[in-house]
Amino acid sequence: MKKAFITASALLTVGCTSSEIKNTEQEDFKWQIDRFDDIKVLRYRIPDFDSLSLSQKKLVYYLSQAALCGRDIYFDQNCKYNLPVRHTLEAVFTGYEGDRETPEFKAFEKYLKKVWFANGIHHHYSNEKFTPGFSEAYFKTLVAGTPALKGSEETVKTILPVIFDPELYKVRVTHDGSVDMIQASANNFYEGVTQEEAERFYASRFDPSDPEPVSHGLNSRLVKENGVLTEQVWKVGGMYSPAIEKIVHWLKKAAETAENPRQKATIETLIEYYETGDLKTFDKYNILWVEDLDSQVDFINGFIETYEDPLGYKASWESTVNFKNLEATKRTELLSRNAQWFEDHSPIDDKYKKKEVKGVSAKVITVAQLGGACYPATPIGINLPNADWIRKEYGSKSVTIQNITYAYAQAAQGDGFAEEFIFREMDRELAKQWGTLANDLSVDLHECLGHGSGQLAPGIKGDELKNYGSTLEEARADLFSLYYIGDPKLVELGVMPSLDVMKTEYNTYMFNGLMGQLTRIEPGKDIIEAHMRNRQLIARWCYEKGKAENVVEMFRQGGKSYVVVNDYEKLRALFGDLLREIQRIKSEGDFEAGRQLVEGYAVKVDPELHQEVLERYAKLDLAPYSGFVNPVLTPVEKNGEIVDIVVEYPDDYAEQMLYYSSEYGFL
Ligand code: ZN
């Protein structure tokens, strides 16, 4: 629940004024290396890698190896047939002896590229199963023409309907409260279990008197065996053991290279957790991790985010390896040092304000490797840990990933998007000048202040909002960010030069929530993903509440619709009003009010506007989703000792995927 994914707003950041990247080679650097369907594959750079010490570089290297070892876990979590599907497709791709230049083979290739990108057969963002652009009969020809698949007839028979039957495993995860969400979700967190059984199973484990509850169900698959519910725990010796053993192997090397005793203890505790599966140990690890503020190199590695489980118990495996961008971190440190001021001046009800905001630590990071659920599609900001009581007692760590936002902005330069969709020339100019800073700042505010603000009423557990919880939580953090990016306090603090940055952000946000993000929805479909729902909720609610005073205007000219903000101060006040209401809903666990907000504003799409946006967007021939290949880190050895780690930027997407499958395919 704590990630900010890149939005179409990045497409508007056509300028680059706030970046620290000074590398002179960047002019020639090829940012985009592949394009298929609605996806473009980009590269990111690791600026300042050479400013790290040798020991830090080794640490980054070991942690990066650990980050790559969990790839198969995430494939399997997304659907239990993903690995056999991928293995079969890869065997065909590398070994088919027939004609590889036909349109059908190209369609097959595209399908495989999509499966790699999504870590499975469902779209990484819409969650819907891909429709192959080739027939079942053709696929059988491919299999027959691939010598390596001799003897795999049983596997092929099993996966045929998985790939080709559109009704089977239709969506990876559904948050549609009107059906049994577990039965209707294709992911692999539960087997033979109904939603009601799972809910009862975990409700019985919840002890309301425990002030330090573990995250029940986080690291296991729940199955029914002979009528009994059992958890298959993801640990060494348990489910996913072959991959987890490799992760542990590299973490042990990382622990030996840690920057300081606290970081060493942090990594060792993570190893202990992987070895035991004990969720108490996971909490202990999180506390050590959140309190490690001195190390420059940092990482995420484990079963972390739960939004791919409709019930919010099971966590997807993910990893990132990163190091602090010392210069840019001064900005977020200023914000977190003033966290109490922001809390005190927030427009929410006083009784839901934190009397004492603890340890909101924020930094800007340079990511050096992405793995699991963070690869190839990656968040641009992360705020962890997720356990509420740890956040309350020990605070949370919040990051903005600047080399990723920078790569997005570079790749989007001059793509024609702003010219097509932004009506006023002055708004396009603002975006050019302040787009990158507005984007970075809003992520900082969302992550390091937004999620951490506010408190629950006594007796409220925090899970009352159920399937609407993620959307409302993201809306709360976004509203906090929107409200404060319009506050003169930010100018006073020196993190932005003028309220023009606010104007840029408001223009972008309203356009994106009302129109821009529709480019990512297929015709006739509802909005499902939590971050997208949250953006439409905020934009539509404010548009409608401000209609009488024409705060935000939508109009058509020359057959094209546009969004224009007329009154920034009034819009800011509306953001404040909605923040107050959503905080109340969260604090009181008011499910019904939350349901009405989401169902009323966030889900349905105006079909005519949608059609128009898609047509205009199609003409630009852009891809709405992006992801990244990783840089390759290679140790340089001399007399058996590592003397340096060198970075290379590969430019072949399929090659990296095949390499990962062969070198890190442990399941
Ligand atoms: Zn968030």
Side-chain angles (χ1 to χ4, degrees):
M1 286 207 295
K2 311 298 190 282
K3 291 180 184 179
F5 279 89
I6 194 77
T7 68
S9 73
L11 299 170
L12 293 174
T13 54
V14 286
C16 195
T17 50
S18 73
S19 176
E20 276 63 42
I21 299 174
K22 297 181 197 83
N23 201 320
T24 47
E25 303 158 50
Q26 71 182 49
E27 312 304 327
D28 309 322
F29 192 73
K30 195 165 107 198
W31 296 95
Q32 181 175 330
I33 58 162
D34 209 341
R35 164 79 202 267
F36 45 90
D37 219 43
D38 56 355
I39 303 286
K40 55 181 186 274
V41 181
L42 312 177
R43 306 193 287 178
Y44 62 94
R45 297 181 64 96
I46 317 177
D48 297 331
F49 184 74
D50 279 329
S51 70
L52 299 177
S53 69
L54 174 59
S55 171
Q56 286 175 317
K57 285 181 182 177
K58 280 157 72 174
L59 178 58
V60 168
Y61 172 71
Y62 295 138
L63 291 169
S64 294
Q65 291 296 312
L68 298 175
C69 291
R71 177 170 175 255
D72 282 1
I73 297 177
Y74 187 53
F75 265 87
D76 189 73
Q77 286 182 315
N78 282 334
C79 179
K80 65 178 172 184
Y81 294 109
N82 278 338
L83 286 171
V85 167
R86 194 191 79 201
H87 294 150
T88 309
L89 299 176
E90 286 173 346
V92 169
F93 185 71
T94 51
Y96 177 59
E97 292 178 337
D99 188 354
R100 304 171 71 97
E101 296 303 321
T102 63
E104 288 101 329
F105 194 83
K106 297 290 168 206
F108 164 79
E109 217 175 88
K110 182 162 108 177
Y111 180 76
L112 173 56
K113 284 184 173 184
K114 286 162 70 170
V115 168
W116 278 331
F117 193 91
N119 293 281
I121 57 172
H122 301 89
H123 193 281
H124 75 287
Y125 209 80
S126 77
N127 291 315
E128 286 169 32
K129 194 163 92 169
F130 297 129
T131 310
F134 51 93
S135 70
E136 189 170 334
Y138 177 70
F139 187 64
K140 285 179 179 160
T141 321
L142 291 178
V143 170
T146 304
L149 287 175
K150 285 241 168 341
S152 309
E153 289 75 15
E154 274 310 304
T155 312
V156 172
K157 212 171 117 193
T158 312
I159 64 169
L160 278 178
V162 175
I163 297 174
F164 291 100
D165 179 350
E167 293 307 312
L168 197 61
Y169 304 112
K170 211 170 170 186
V171 284
R172 183 167 63 125
V173 50
T174 180
H175 292 95
D176 174 0
S178 70
V179 298
D180 183 316
M181 293 186 282
I182 288 186
Q183 307 262 306
S185 297
N187 58 22
N188 192 20
F189 294 135
Y190 304 88
E191 181 77 39
V193 181
T194 67
Q195 182 178 338
E196 203 208 327
E197 286 170 330
E199 280 172 343
R200 231 183 309 129
F201 183 83
Y202 286 111
S204 73
R205 301 202 156 189
F206 183 79
D207 172 6
S209 66
D210 185 355
E212 301 181 355
V214 299
S215 305
H216 287 295
L218 191 76
N219 64 337
S220 63
R221 181 171 182 254
L222 185 66
V223 297
K224 202 196 265 177
E225 280 170 348
N226 307 318
V228 183
L229 292 180
T230 320
E231 283 185 325
Q232 297 173 333
V233 180
W234 304 324
K235 60 170 188 170
V236 172
M239 195 173 170
Y240 301 142
S241 189
I244 294 174
E245 286 164 37
K246 298 288 181 188
I247 295 169
V248 165
H249 165 83
W250 290 107
L251 287 178
K252 283 183 175 162
K253 287 185 178 291
E256 288 163 22
T257 331
E259 288 182 64
N260 52 58
R262 180 191 294 279
Q263 190 179 45
K264 186 169 194 282
T266 306
I267 300 172
E268 283 170 347
T269 310
L270 178 59
I271 293 169
E272 190 193 328
Y273 161 63
Y274 273 134
E275 285 173 339
T276 61
D278 179 10
L279 289 167
K280 274 256 177 258
T281 309
F282 182 60
D283 283 348
K284 201 170 121 198
Y285 153 73
N286 275 310
I287 293 164
L288 284 164
W289 178 80
V290 83
E291 293 196 319
D292 175 14
L293 301 176
D294 298 331
S295 308
Q296 191 183 356
V297 175
D298 205 351
F299 65 97
I300 293 164
N301 187 305
F303 303 101
I304 308 290
E305 301 286 359
T306 57
Y307 38 41
E308 299 183 35
D309 171 9
L311 302 185
Y313 295 113
K314 313 288 170 197
S316 306
W317 193 88
E318 69 174 45
S319 183
T320 69
V321 184
N322 60 77
F323 57 92
K324 208 187 284 183
N325 177 334
L326 300 173
E327 187 56 36
T329 294
K330 288 177 188 157
R331 181 182 76 217
T332 52
E333 279 172 355
L334 257 178
L335 292 178
S336 30
R337 223 177 293 139
N338 288 278
Q340 193 65 52
W341 186 93
F342 289 104
E343 187 74 1
D344 294 345
H345 291 78
S346 161
I348 64 174
D349 193 317
D350 279 341
K351 63 176 179 280
Y352 301 135
K353 286 179 186 171
K354 280 201 176 108
K355 303 293 164 277
E356 201 188 328
V357 182
K358 268 187 201 160
V360 190
S361 76
K363 58 185 179 179
V364 178
I365 59 169
T366 301
V367 85
Q369 204 80 175
L370 303 164
C374 294
Y375 170 87
T378 176
I380 51 174
I382 301 174
N383 181 325
L384 292 170
N386 282 333
D388 274 328
W389 73 268
I390 299 179
R391 297 169 73 82
K392 210 169 154 201
E393 295 299 316
Y394 300 92
S396 63
K397 240 196 268 190
S398 168
V399 302
T400 308
I401 309 175
Q402 196 150 302
N403 60 326
I404 294 292
T405 55
Y406 181 79
Y408 275 121
Q410 289 299 307
Q413 286 230 19
D415 63 9
F417 187 85
E419 289 69 19
E420 172 62 34
F421 285 101
I422 306 306
F423 183 74
R424 295 187 298 213
E425 157 115 47
M426 66 177 196
D427 291 342
R428 291 198 293 270
E429 282 305 312
L430 282 174
K432 212 179 266 180
Q433 198 171 1
W434 302 118
T436 305
L437 180 59
N439 193 59
D440 287 344
L441 251 186
S442 65
V443 175
D444 293 343
L445 289 164
H446 174 113
E447 297 293 349
C448 71
L449 299 176
H451 279 304
S453 80
Q455 62 180 10
L456 303 179
I460 299 297
K461 286 192 297 192
D463 63 357
E464 289 79 1
L465 303 176
K466 294 185 188 162
N467 47 317
Y468 300 111
S470 306
T471 298
L472 292 165
E473 176 58 17
E474 291 312 318
R476 201 177 66 86
D478 264 4
L479 285 162
F480 194 96
S481 164
L482 288 162
Y483 182 77
Y484 277 118
I485 208 167
D487 199 306
K489 179 78 176 178
L490 293 196
V491 181
E492 192 189 299
L493 286 174
V495 295
M496 66 186 204
S498 78
L499 288 173
D500 279 354
V501 179
M502 168 268 278
K503 290 183 181 170
T504 308
E505 179 60 19
Y506 286 11
N507 290 340
T508 305
Y509 200 93
M510 293 306 288
F511 161 73
N512 203 21
L514 290 169
M515 279 176 63
Q517 66 172 6
L518 296 180
T519 55
R520 298 168 161 216
I521 306 287
E522 282 177 45
K525 297 272 163 67
D526 287 343
I527 298 181
I528 294 171
E529 201 277 331
H531 295 80
M532 293 182 82
R533 283 189 165 185
N534 124 55
R535 286 193 286 267
Q536 178 165 302
L537 195 175
I538 293 173
R540 279 222 162 271
W541 191 92
C542 292
Y543 169 68
E544 278 172 29
K545 299 291 165 189
K547 221 170 185 173
E549 295 185 90
N550 208 19
V551 176
V552 178
E553 207 177 342
M554 280 186 87
F555 60 90
R556 285 173 72 84
Q557 187 166 308
K560 293 177 177 181
S561 302
Y562 294 97
V563 175
V564 159
V565 179
N566 290 321
D567 190 329
Y568 293 95
E569 269 315 302
K570 282 195 179 132
L571 180 55
R572 178 168 186 245
L574 288 170
F575 289 143
D577 291 346
L578 187 55
L579 174 57
R580 187 182 172 91
E581 171 61 2
I582 290 184
Q583 181 64 56
R584 183 198 68 75
I585 289 171
K586 177 176 179 177
S587 295
E588 298 173 7
D590 188 345
F591 174 82
E592 186 48 29
R595 189 189 68 79
Q596 283 183 25
L597 266 185
V598 176
E599 294 293 347
Y601 293 93
V603 180
K604 293 289 167 201
V605 173
D606 171 356
E608 257 174 66
L609 178 66
H610 188 193
Q611 186 60 30
E612 178 206 317
V613 169
L614 289 177
E615 278 166 19
R616 288 164 69 187
Y617 188 70
K619 280 191 195 135
L620 297 171
D621 193 29
L622 303 173
Y625 301 100
S626 311
F628 293 87
V629 293
N630 276 315
V632 177
L633 307 179
T634 313
V636 181
E637 286 184 39
K638 210 171 178 182
N639 308 324
E641 293 273 308
I642 295 178
V643 293
D644 198 7
I645 305 286
V646 294
V647 183
E648 281 164 293
Y649 301 104
D651 60 5
D652 192 320
Y653 166 70
E655 201 176 285
Q656 178 156 93
M657 288 296 175
L658 288 171
Y659 180 75
Y660 284 180
S661 295
S662 88
E663 297 303 306
Y664 305 96
F666 302 123
L667 299 178

